[in-house]
Amino acid sequence: QVQLVESGGGSVQAGGSLRLSCAVFGRTFSSYDMAWFRQAPGKEREFVAAINWNGGMTYYADSVKGRFTISRDHTKNTEYLEMNNLKPGDTAVYVCAGRASQAYSMQHYDDPSTYTYWGQGTQVTVPS
């Protein structure tokens, strides 16, 4: 059984920074593609960023490109999302997701239906 546990959310003023973490328990983290999605109240789940199993490929939504950085540390079985220059539009619940890398080879990286494992989410609030 695989468990994903997010941490690092909070409330920060516009222009500020936060670092989200997603710890993976139960299986071989190094064989997973990982991603972050977010969902704001009344809106659909939205792709934020993805990283392949070895960290060699990363992808970002246009809305966060240049401000957010996704990374992973295999020694800690943890995925990260560094968020800078936060804006009120970034307010959402951020959820990490994982899937077996060999199943997709990073195709459809922004499609939530291709991810098998999900965390519970962590709230990020940027007051306007």
Side-chain angles (χ1 to χ4, degrees):
Q1 185 175 355
V2 178
Q3 186 178 11
L4 279 59
V5 180
E6 301 97 336
S7 61
S11 181
V12 62
Q13 294 299 314
S17 298
L18 282 174
R19 187 195 197 198
L20 305 183
S21 300
C22 174
V24 179
F25 302 93
R27 286 289 181 89
T28 307
F29 173 69
S30 61
S31 66
Y32 292 163
D33 296 332
M34 300 295 296
W36 289 94
F37 291 81
R38 67 186 181 186
Q39 189 163 15
K43 295 187 178 181
E44 293 186 355
R45 183 167 289 183
E46 175 188 25
F47 168 75
V48 176
I51 187 167
N52 77 322
W53 67 276
N54 68 359
M57 293 188 288
T58 58
Y59 302 88
Y60 297 93
D62 288 343
S63 59
V64 307
K65 202 170 294 183
R67 299 188 297 123
F68 290 12
T69 302
I70 189 171
S71 62
R72 61 193 299 161
D73 185 339
H74 287 185
T75 66
K76 298 180 179 179
N77 277 14
T78 301
E79 172 196 31
Y80 302 99
L81 185 68
E82 184 77 33
M83 305 185 294
N84 297 313
N85 190 21
L86 282 160
K87 304 175 180 180
D90 295 318
T91 295
V93 174
Y94 285 71
V95 186
C96 68
R99 68 186 188 186
S101 181
Q102 62 184 9
Y104 290 97
S105 299
M106 286 312 283
Q107 295 182 36
H108 310 300
Y109 57 84
D110 57 350
D111 182 353
S113 70
T114 66
Y115 289 84
T116 307
Y117 307 108
W118 292 87
Q120 293 298 310
T122 185
Q123 177 70 46
V124 172
T125 302
V126 188
S128 56

